[in-house]
Amino acid sequence: MHIIVDLCVVPLGVGVSVSPYIVACEKILKAAGLKTNLHAYGTNIEGEWDTVFAAIKQCHETIHAMGAPRITTTIKLGSRTDRLQTMEDKIRSVQEKQ
Amino acid sequence: MHIIVDLCVVPLGVGVSVSPYIVACEKILKAAGLKTNLHAYGTNIEGEWDTVFAAIKQCHETIHAMGAPRITTTIKLGSRTDRLQTMEDKIRSVQEKQ
Amino acid sequence: MHIIVDLCVVPLGVGVSVSPYIVACEKILKAAGLKTNLHAYGTNIEGEWDTVFAAIKQCHETIHAMGAPRITTTIKLGSRTDRLQTMEDKIRSVQEKQ
Amino acid sequence: MHIIVDLCVVPLGVGVSVSPYIVACEKILKAAGLKTNLHAYGTNIEGEWDTVFAAIKQCHETIHAMGAPRITTTIKLGSRTDRLQTMEDKIRSVQEKQ
């Protein structure tokens, strides 16, 4: 199943600077061959269900291994069967009506 | 990895009554042996990572097969390595301080 | 506007134990006269838009005043014009179909 | 209070094509003078608490007036007191470590 995801990973118990953990997660997503786009409150991801969630699981494992005792993550996840839609399609469908 | 999840599945293109789809998803979560607790804006789930996400994938597949052409899902997901925490522990830790 | 909300407030930079901050927020919501229901990954809230968001703003102000330098909050928010729906209605509409 | 927000508004009961409603919401955010950045699963917003939430309320009112009987919205919301941080700062702090 092809999905578009928005991922926001928040390590707890490591202070207020969380960017080193986000960087580690970005590397995992890219190494998995996923299409990603970083924004100011998370990362858009596009790919197959199993690949996406295997990568997100690896993000949790890696961030714990880096020393974060607790992680809270927010995921938005869209799938559709009526047509294939890319991340660019979603943005364009809004922008061309503006 | 043991996780606590909050799941909110929203089928689109099927009108405003979405409860039949939520019911189908609740059945899948229970059939997977997961601990669940329904609330007014989603379902708390506790279990192992792979079991939880296999069940959520099955929810998407089933809701599409029921006729929903599009689904948007929101997931909150917590893991911790410092100690085992259940859904009841989380609620109790707040209630006993009130 | 009558709304049903799911609120999850996460203070950062205060270690892994966040329940004292959640307790402070629960008190603010109740003092505002809002209907609330605590679950394992947040709090359901029902009330008028302005009352709900004034209370959530007060939660942020209070948690910062308690010493948390950073807060990340997740909100789900539902409104409908076709009919009045309570938190209990939403749960019942799922449970009676099971 | 200065906040960074991620907003995802989903109208229900209007079929699978939701972009006209998102366009209306984007116009409201811009007319309110807010800094925004559209991505594939929502819109980043930066501004003062009261301005941001007045605009989001107006989005709900407008989308209902356009004919959507039900709306479910997801909001991520960050505030911090240790330093002022812009949306660009958040992205840069990740990108410069990659």
Side-chain angles (χ1 to χ4, degrees), chain A residues 19-29 59 62-63 66, chain D residues 98:
Chain A
S19 56
Y21 305 91
I22 307 306
V23 170
C25 186
E26 291 289 306
K27 282 180 188 161
I28 290 164
L29 297 171
C59 288
T62 300
I63 291 170
M66 287 170 75
Chain D
Q98 279 175 326

Side-chain angles (χ1 to χ4, degrees), chain C residues 5 7 9 24-36 45-63 73 75, chain D residues 1 49-50 77:
Chain C
V5 167
L7 174 70
V9 177
C25 186
E26 291 289 306
K27 282 181 186 157
I28 289 164
L29 298 170
K30 276 166 195 163
L34 292 162
K35 229 167 78 181
T36 65
I45 309 170
E46 183 181 336
E48 287 301 306
W49 184 293
D50 292 346
T51 315
V52 171
F53 281 102
I56 295 175
K57 187 183 181 187
Q58 209 187 327
C59 289
H60 270 246
E61 290 168 341
T62 300
I63 291 170
T73 287
I75 296 169
Chain D
M1 198 186 324
W49 184 293
D50 292 345
L77 155 63

Side-chain angles (χ1 to χ4, degrees), chain B residues 6 19 40-41 44 76 97, chain C residues 6 19 40-41 44 76 97:
Chain B
D6 188 56
S19 56
Y41 223 129
N44 294 163
K76 285 181 286 195
K97 292 187 186 72
Chain C
D6 188 57
S19 56
Y41 223 128
N44 294 164
K76 283 180 287 195
K97 290 187 186 73

Side-chain angles (χ1 to χ4, degrees), chain B residues 30-42:
Chain B
K30 276 167 195 163
L34 293 162
K35 229 168 78 181
T36 66
N37 182 42
L38 179 73
H39 60 79
Y41 223 129

Side-chain angles (χ1 to χ4, degrees), chain A residues 2-41:
Chain A
H2 184 88
I3 53 177
I4 295 180
V5 166
D6 187 56
L7 174 72
C8 178
V9 176
V10 179
L12 301 181
V14 293
V16 293
S17 262
V18 301
S19 56
Y21 305 91
I22 307 306
V23 170
C25 186
E26 291 289 306
K27 282 180 188 161
I28 290 164
L29 297 171
K30 276 165 196 165
L34 292 162
K35 228 167 77 182
T36 66
N37 182 41
L38 179 72
H39 61 78
Y41 224 128

